[in-house]
Amino acid sequence: MTEIGAQVVVAAIGAHTSVGVHAAMTAASIRAGITRMSMHPYIIDRMGEPLRIASAQHIQSPLSGIERFAALAGPALHEVLKPLASRPLRRGQIGLYLGLPEPRPGFDEADVRIIEEALGDIVDAEFQSIRHGHCGGAMAIQRAHEDITTGRFEFCIAGGVDSHMHDKTLTWLDRSGQLQSSSRRSGMVPGEAAAFCLLCRPSVARALALPPLLAVSSASTAIEPHAIKRKGVCVGEGLAVAIRAATAGAPVDAVFCDINGQRYRNEEWGMASLRLSDVISDASRYEAPASILGDVGAASGPLFVALVQESIRRRYAHARRFLGWTSAEGGHRTAFVLESLVPKNKNAEVLP
């Protein structure tokens, strides 16, 4: 195992999605192409058709809105904390950054306080919510990376949780023309998920008997001046800036992103990749979990980390340097780079 240049590594992951109650199950389901997309039981869209959704059907069905946030995030946070079970932590030793949706119908400030209190009952951490939608979880990774690198915290948890399963949210998405349907090919399938990753220095991971497989080498956020629903034409400027800064102009082997069926996201990626030909060899090759899970919003970034970690652990990764990027409606664009720590000519041990 090599740790040359690694300052921040992934010590543990956790996830709870529509296709898995933990990270390993989620990754295996996505790899197998298993999806839980279905029609909403009672909401009809503007064209008189049932809405297509990707909900976590194992969560008690009457739960809605913030109740589903808690039902998703709680188990995922417990999962990522398992390695610390024998090491009691005091406030000030660990930071928790949580990506959450941008302001929207069905999710408000009161909901933010509820989810913060729910997760605060699980771990006593310095807590910060990041309400930047699709970029929320990725920005949590960026801030955690900064705090580990500067020595502010020994451990950081970067996570995100999102659920579109609220009547007001679904109705808003439909009325604003963002949903996929038989009459609208450019649109997303609303989903829900929570994902977390525990970050620390390599020496700390070794002390916990967790030989790291993956490093977070860098992260960057930029602003797109012509985001969706604003004046002007988006030509991928902000996304290209974020990716260029995160990669430092060095090529990546694989790409994970939050492309979700909305045409503008594909077009933005196409424009940005033209500016990044030295970094992206083939812009048509990328992993978009939304094709299986539906759009998982703020959980996207940490979910990418969990999927990459599992691909290395289970020995099916065909890359060593991974790029993750996310694009928020508010204009934020966040990119981060993950690097395998498994020697090129050796396989990772398959863990139970």
Side-chain angles (χ1 to χ4, degrees), residues 216-335:
V216 180
S217 61
S218 58
S220 179
T221 295
I223 299 295
E224 170 53 53
H226 302 296
I228 189 70
K229 301 176 184 176
R230 297 183 184 179
K231 293 181 179 180
V233 178
C234 175
V235 293
E237 180 182 347
L239 181 57
V241 169
I243 293 175
R244 174 72 64 186
T247 61
V252 295
D253 307 316
V255 177
F256 283 75
C257 63
D258 61 357
I259 286 178
N260 62 359
Q262 293 177 302
R263 186 174 64 186
Y264 84 90
R265 290 182 183 275
N266 293 74
E267 293 176 346
E268 180 179 23
W269 170 237
M271 293 289 189
S273 63
L274 291 175
R275 303 167 182 262
L276 299 162
S277 58
D278 55 330
V279 175
I280 311 297
S281 59
D282 185 354
S284 66
R285 297 183 62 184
Y286 56 80
E287 299 288 337
S291 63
I292 296 291
L293 301 176
D295 187 290
V296 298
S300 298
L303 179 64
F304 300 163
V305 175
L307 296 179
V308 171
Q309 173 92 337
E310 277 298 296
S311 74
I312 295 172
R313 188 174 76 97
R314 291 294 182 183
R315 296 194 276 191
Y316 59 84
H318 298 292
R320 298 192 56 76
R321 185 170 159 86
F322 305 80
L323 168 68
W325 65 261
T326 56
S327 170
E329 282 200 5
H332 289 81
R333 303 293 185 264
T334 302

Side-chain angles (χ1 to χ4, degrees), residues 184-238:
R184 188 189 303 119
R185 301 190 67 178
S186 172
M188 72 169 185
V189 175
E192 57 183 354
F196 293 89
C197 49
L198 177 65
L199 306 180
C200 62
R201 289 185 176 275
S203 57
V204 176
R206 285 197 305 270
L208 292 172
L210 295 168
L213 306 179
L214 188 65
V216 180
S217 61
S218 58
S220 179
T221 295
I223 299 295
E224 170 53 53
H226 302 296
I228 189 70
K229 301 176 184 176
R230 297 183 184 179
K231 293 181 179 180
V233 178
C234 175
V235 293
E237 180 182 347

